[in-house]
Structures are given as C-alpha cells and as structure tokens.
Amino acid sequence: CGGKKEETSEAPAPAASAPAGKTVDPATAGELTGTVKLDGTPPKMKNISLAAEPSCAKALTAPLTSEEVVTGDAGALANVVIYVKSGLEGYSFPTPSTPVKLEQIGCQYQPHVAGMVVAQTIDVVNGDQTTHNIHPIPTVNREWNESQSPGAAPIEKSFAREEIAIPVKCNVHPWMKAYMAVLPNPYFQVTSKDGKFDLKNLPPGTYTIVAWHELYKTDPQTVTIGPKETKSVNFTFKAAAAGD
C-alpha cells in the first residue's frame, strides 16, 4: 500500500480470441447440481487485529478473521471453485461483457474467491478510507501490482490465460488475501456457505468436473450428462488434509 506501481518486463499477453466452434443447443442441454462438504472439524481461523486501521474496523459488523476455511451447516464448504475441466472441446463461448468485481471493504477482499472467464474484465474497487495495493501473483499470466487510494476509479484488468487460482495480496496489509480463478469456459461456480452449486445449460457429454479449494487443492470427478438430463455429484474434502 502506498508504494509505487511495479512494472514487469513481460509484454502483455494478447486477449484470447475465441475460435469458431459449436454452440450449445438449449433444447438438449442438461444440468449438474451438487454440494461440497468438509469431513471433520474445520481448522480454527485466526483473529485479525485492525487496531492500526481504525477506519477499516468501522466498516465491519463483526471481528475480522482469516478465511482459509469457511463452513456452513452440516459441514458445507464455501469458497470452492467448481468447474468443467474437460469435455467442452470444440465449443466456443463469447467473453462475458459484465465485469467481475473485486472489492476492498474493511481491509478485506470481497469476495475471497472470484471466478472469471479468460479475457473477462475485472473491476477492483477500493471501498475503504485507506490506500491499498492489489498484487496478484500468477504463474502463467502477467503479474501486476498497483496502488489504489480512497475514492479512486476502479482498476480494470483481465487475464489472458487459464489459471486456477491466482493468489492476490496487499503488500501493506499482509492479512488481505484473495484468489482469482480464470476459467476457459462459463461453466463454473464458487460455493457460498451452503456449499451448493448448479451448472446449467451443459450440452450432453462426458465431463471432468473439478472442485478446487485453497487448502484442500483439487478433487476431480467424471460425469456423463445425457440430453435434457439433470445429474448430481457431491464433493467431500477431509479436514485433516489441511495440514498435509
């Protein structure tokens, strides 16, 4: 926060242009639903002191804790990215025109995990009365690090390559952490505290469906969906795996 903008020597990757391909026929499309759960006692999250940032403390209605593991009723697990890894080869999808929003409120990134399509615009908004800097650390995309003062215009960015998931930090507020999952198709969801997901309008086919979590990593499953068929698949992570 407050540092100068860091530049990278890597040239920006060109925006991906979708090749001509098949489109989804709504008359035959199916649906995939399910739930993600945590088996076992979740690890205790750390309390975060905002004594040094009283303006951020005022923006929150509850004490701030870390967000590595967020659960709901009956072990439902939040912040899990559910996405189609394979099975959509030959299809093309337009880049969504609506930006994904990443907000900074109470010295916390909201949402903690954001999903987006390759080349989709990301709007980073500072809702706090303090300066932040936003520093994604990708592996295959371009790294950037920009400061954002209170009331500044949104920072608009995009990522040119698939990557699941990119860590995001603030160099001044070390507890601030988020993830950006960049997907090659629109068939994904990030679970909330109910752990549920619903991927609609899937064309008939056999798919590899993956659940990704920042601590528990990935869990792939294979599912075949017929014309107009609705199927359910559930994912379960072991709580003990967080210490592996």
Side-chain angles (χ1 to χ4, degrees):
C1 271
K4 67 179 181 179
K5 177 179 176 180
E6 294 182 9
E7 298 290 349
T8 174
S9 59
E10 180 189 0
S17 58
K22 296 185 292 183
T23 57
V24 177
D25 179 5
T28 61
E31 185 174 358
L32 182 67
T33 65
T35 303
V36 185
K37 291 189 175 183
L38 185 67
D39 181 13
T41 303
K44 186 176 180 181
M45 296 295 96
K46 298 176 182 178
N47 293 322
I48 296 170
S49 173
L50 292 176
E53 288 288 359
S55 65
C56 286
K58 291 179 181 178
L60 299 175
T61 58
L64 186 62
T65 60
S66 57
E67 299 179 280
E68 291 89 348
V69 180
V70 176
T71 56
D73 294 338
L77 187 59
N79 295 326
V80 178
V81 183
I82 305 294
Y83 66 97
V84 175
K85 182 177 182 179
S86 66
L88 289 167
E89 294 77 12
Y91 286 89
S92 62
F93 305 97
T95 302
S97 58
T98 303
V100 172
K101 183 179 287 188
L102 181 67
E103 297 185 271
Q104 297 154 106
I105 300 175
C107 288
Q108 184 181 46
Y109 286 119
Q110 296 183 16
H112 182 64
V113 178
M116 63 211 65
V117 174
V118 169
Q120 185 175 6
T121 300
I122 307 152
D123 281 353
V124 184
V125 178
N126 185 359
D128 287 330
Q129 296 303 308
T130 188
T131 297
H132 290 296
N133 86 299
I134 305 89
H135 187 181
I137 311 172
T139 300
V140 299
N141 281 282
R142 186 187 184 195
E143 182 175 352
W144 50 274
N145 180 8
E146 293 192 17
S147 294
Q148 190 175 40
S149 58
I155 295 174
E156 296 184 357
K157 296 289 183 179
S158 64
F159 293 103
R161 301 175 183 88
E162 175 184 357
E163 189 166 352
I164 308 160
I166 301 171
V168 184
K169 67 177 183 177
C170 173
N171 293 336
V172 154
H173 304 115
W175 63 84
M176 290 182 65
K177 193 171 187 179
Y179 290 89
M180 296 179 180
V182 187
L183 289 306
N185 61 67
Y187 294 98
F188 65 87
Q189 277 189 356
V190 180
T191 60
S192 59
K193 288 184 71 173
D194 65 5
K196 295 180 180 179
F197 62 90
D198 187 355
L199 304 182
K200 299 179 184 292
N201 203 36
L202 268 171
T206 297
Y207 300 100
T208 299
I209 310 296
V210 176
W212 175 94
H213 185 270
E214 63 183 281
L215 287 188
Y216 303 114
K217 305 309 177 186
T218 59
D219 180 13
Q221 294 194 40
T222 301
V223 61
T224 298
I225 297 177
K228 302 296 290 183
E229 186 176 21
T230 297
K231 280 199 171 178
S232 180
V233 58
N234 298 317
F235 294 88
T236 301
F237 290 100
K238 297 288 187 181
D244 290 350

